[in-house]
Amino acid sequence: MPLYKSIPVPKGLLSVWQITETSDELISLLTAEETQDPDFLKFTYEKRKTEWLATRALLRTMIGSPFRIIYTESGKPLLKHPVYQHISISHSRDFVAVLIHQQLSVGIDIESINRHYAPIAKRYLSEVELEQVNESAVLQCIYWCAKEAVFKIVPESEIDFRKQIEVMAFNPEQELFFARFRSGNQERIYQLQHTSFDQHCLVWACSDPE
């Protein structure tokens, strides 16, 4: 299907695409040049093909063309476009979410609330955070997405989610919340936003510290 959801972001764009198409159906939405991209041609699994194609179909809906996504040595994406340079991408089984911004680094993550977080909870949540989520599937999902979003913003690539990213306790009925990132003797506070739909959590943030 086309665009599923758009959320206003100052000097940015955030949109979600629900993947209901096959890769062959998505190919028809792109140019022949785009579908000959070496990154796309190396994929053999249908899921990776549809994620790649849906991301670019969504971007075309958001900003038209031309544009190009390149990757840093650490694997983080950058957008080649005359207006938007910063991009973050996230996939779940059913959705692709893209956040782009004119000036600020961005991070976004989308996950299913039905994912089984318990086996990995102690790897990404501190003891304090484990008490805060209190086995809530929604909060486990939001905390995971929050840490992924912060990870996508910061320049470091080797991050201990449990020790370096701290989600501050908040009321999940409110959209805004905060996370602290520590690196060496420095720390930064990021403001995040979240929403839920169709049994999924979506969390995003921009790099401007509050």
Side-chain angles (χ1 to χ4, degrees):
M1 68 174 294
L3 187 67
Y4 179 84
K5 176 187 286 287
S6 292
I7 298 172
V9 175
K11 296 188 177 180
L13 298 171
L14 191 169
S15 295
V16 179
W17 181 286
Q18 187 172 20
I19 305 174
T20 59
E21 307 89 348
T22 65
S23 61
D24 287 340
E25 290 169 331
L26 287 166
I27 282 174
S28 67
L29 302 177
L30 304 180
T31 67
E33 181 180 1
E34 287 171 319
T35 56
Q36 291 302 306
D37 188 299
D39 286 339
F40 173 67
L41 295 175
K42 71 183 181 184
F43 296 133
T44 57
Y45 292 105
E46 175 70 7
K47 182 176 185 296
R48 290 296 293 121
K49 289 181 179 180
T50 56
E51 288 174 351
W52 192 96
L53 292 164
T55 298
R56 282 142 186 87
L58 176 55
L59 266 170
R60 172 168 286 196
T61 301
M62 295 166 72
I63 59 175
S65 57
F67 62 83
R68 185 172 169 227
I69 302 173
I70 62 172
Y71 292 87
T72 66
E73 290 185 2
S74 63
K76 296 188 178 184
L78 296 172
L79 184 61
K80 292 293 186 179
H81 183 265
V83 178
Y84 299 97
Q85 285 78 49
H86 303 280
I87 183 170
S88 185
I89 304 165
S90 183
H91 311 101
S92 70
R93 185 184 67 180
D94 301 315
F95 294 97
V96 172
V98 171
L99 173 58
I100 58 178
H101 203 280
Q102 297 177 22
Q103 300 171 344
L104 304 174
S105 297
V106 290
I108 193 169
D109 198 60
I110 186 169
E111 292 286 350
S112 170
I113 296 172
N114 297 322
R115 178 179 173 180
H116 194 35
Y117 293 93
I120 62 170
K122 290 186 178 180
R123 297 209 302 268
Y124 77 94
L125 296 173
S126 68
E127 292 299 324
V128 171
E129 291 168 335
L130 285 167
E131 292 182 6
Q132 290 169 1
V133 302
N134 194 27
E135 299 184 0
S136 163
V138 172
L139 283 176
Q140 286 177 340
C141 186
I142 293 173
Y143 274 52
W144 173 265
C145 290
K147 296 198 176 196
E148 281 283 349
V150 171
F151 169 73
K152 291 175 180 180
I153 290 177
V154 300
E156 292 90 339
S157 57
E158 297 295 328
I159 302 297
D160 186 326
F161 277 29
R162 185 175 182 272
K163 296 179 179 179
Q164 291 183 258
I165 305 175
E166 174 194 355
V167 178
M168 301 178 187
F170 69 101
N171 180 352
E173 295 183 1
Q174 298 176 341
E175 290 185 355
L176 296 179
F177 64 112
F178 296 88
R180 177 183 288 110
F181 173 70
R182 297 184 179 90
S183 179
N185 295 323
Q186 298 182 337
E187 69 174 44
R188 295 191 293 275
I189 305 294
Y190 292 100
Q191 177 179 281
L192 300 99
Q193 289 182 256
H194 77 94
T195 189
S196 299
F197 54 87
D198 199 12
Q199 291 298 300
H200 281 71
C201 295
L202 179 70
V203 176
W204 67 97
C206 299
S207 65
D208 191 17
E210 293 293 324

